[in-house]
Amino acid sequence: MKNEQLHGKIEYEPSSTSGKTAKVVNGKVFFSMTFHPKLKIKEHECSVLYDKKESSYLYFKYPYRSSLWNDSNQIEAPKEIKKIVEDNIVKKGKYSLYWKTVDEKLVSLSYVKHGLVDTVPIEVYSIYK
């Protein structure tokens, strides 16, 4: 590449405005490029009911709505979500779960216990920490 550059066949700018850059270090050319990938970012929510007597977790499609605690709204939560919930929510009750995924990979998970007024979701998992 250095030979090509010396003979005028390759042109580059060390700091171009197009997001591409090139630099010569010890006779070698290194290129870098900035890009903006198209990511699928999704927000999810559901409810979970923990029954201490049964030691079981039941997941429902919608966040807290008292009329929807029945079998027709029950869902199978992703394994990754189940593990985090089971490690962090160990008190009897009903909770709303909120999580975000990027390209179907979990990036954050938080919950709110039902029945509490003016509560801020408690974050139990985040890749940003």
Side-chain angles (χ1 to χ4, degrees):
M1 298 239 359
K2 187 175 183 180
N3 187 42
E4 297 288 321
Q5 180 198 3
L6 290 173
H7 291 89
K9 295 181 182 176
I10 294 178
E11 290 184 28
Y12 69 89
E13 294 178 32
S15 256
S16 72
T17 58
S18 65
K20 299 175 186 177
T21 60
K23 195 176 203 179
V24 177
V25 177
N26 294 331
K28 295 180 183 177
V29 178
F30 293 89
F31 293 93
S32 68
M33 187 177 211
T34 306
F35 65 98
H36 303 284
K38 292 183 181 179
L39 301 173
K40 292 180 191 174
I41 301 170
K42 286 180 111 180
E43 292 187 6
H44 308 268
E45 55 187 19
C46 77
S47 285
V48 63
L49 171 63
Y50 176 68
D51 185 356
K52 199 169 188 173
K53 291 178 187 175
E54 300 291 324
S55 294
S56 65
Y57 296 83
L58 300 173
Y59 297 86
F60 299 89
K61 290 180 192 174
Y62 306 103
Y64 182 61
R65 293 186 185 122
S66 58
S67 62
L68 299 175
W69 296 100
N70 59 47
D71 291 342
S72 66
N73 290 316
Q74 199 167 342
I75 60 169
E76 184 69 28
K79 288 180 184 178
E80 193 175 14
I81 299 290
K82 281 183 174 181
K83 171 99 174 93
I84 295 169
V85 167
E86 290 172 11
D87 289 346
N88 292 282
I89 299 176
V90 292
K91 295 180 181 176
K92 181 179 175 185
K94 299 173 184 176
Y95 301 85
S96 291
L97 298 179
Y98 304 96
W99 70 93
K100 291 181 186 175
T101 57
V102 174
D103 286 341
E104 299 182 19
K105 294 187 185 197
L106 181 65
V107 294
S108 69
L109 172 69
S110 58
Y111 72 89
V112 174
K113 182 160 176 44
H114 295 178
L116 301 177
V117 180
D118 296 329
T119 57
V120 175
I122 299 168
E123 189 172 72
V124 291
Y125 176 81
S126 175
I127 63 167
Y128 305 112
K129 289 185 177 179

